[in-house]
Amino acid sequence: MKRHAMSKNFGNGAGHVLRRHNSAVLVFSWHGKPDGSARYVEQVNCYARNGVEYPSLASLLRAVEAEHAYKET
């Protein structure tokens, strides 16, 4: 049986996030280079990255994109 993963591009294609089947860990890349991870915290129904909690996947992806917008200026 094949296991599925969630894979999504964001940030106008610069960012990519991968979540393996039945895993709480999301792995990020930016322009094809590793860019850390985040974790889904089921007990509080949110995502956490670098000590910050986000209420949804969309807000997490916006925050990662904003990190890079800040770094590139």
Side-chain angles (χ1 to χ4, degrees):
M1 185 182 302
K2 198 173 193 178
R3 295 190 176 234
H4 298 283
M6 183 275 298
S7 177
K8 181 169 183 61
N9 290 318
F10 65 100
N12 293 324
H16 184 258
V17 61
L18 177 69
R19 180 177 180 178
R20 300 221 184 268
H21 180 71
N22 285 338
S23 175
V25 178
L26 290 84
V27 179
F28 290 88
S29 62
W30 194 261
H31 289 297
K33 296 179 182 171
D35 189 47
S37 63
R39 178 173 223 78
Y40 177 70
V41 185
E42 190 172 344
Q43 295 86 346
V44 290
N45 194 30
C46 72
Y47 293 87
R49 175 175 163 98
N50 299 332
V52 179
E53 293 181 353
Y54 301 92
S56 67
L57 178 60
S59 63
L60 171 61
L61 297 181
R62 283 192 300 270
V64 172
E65 188 174 355
E67 286 174 21
H68 289 281
Y70 178 76
K71 289 178 186 176
E72 292 172 5
T73 59

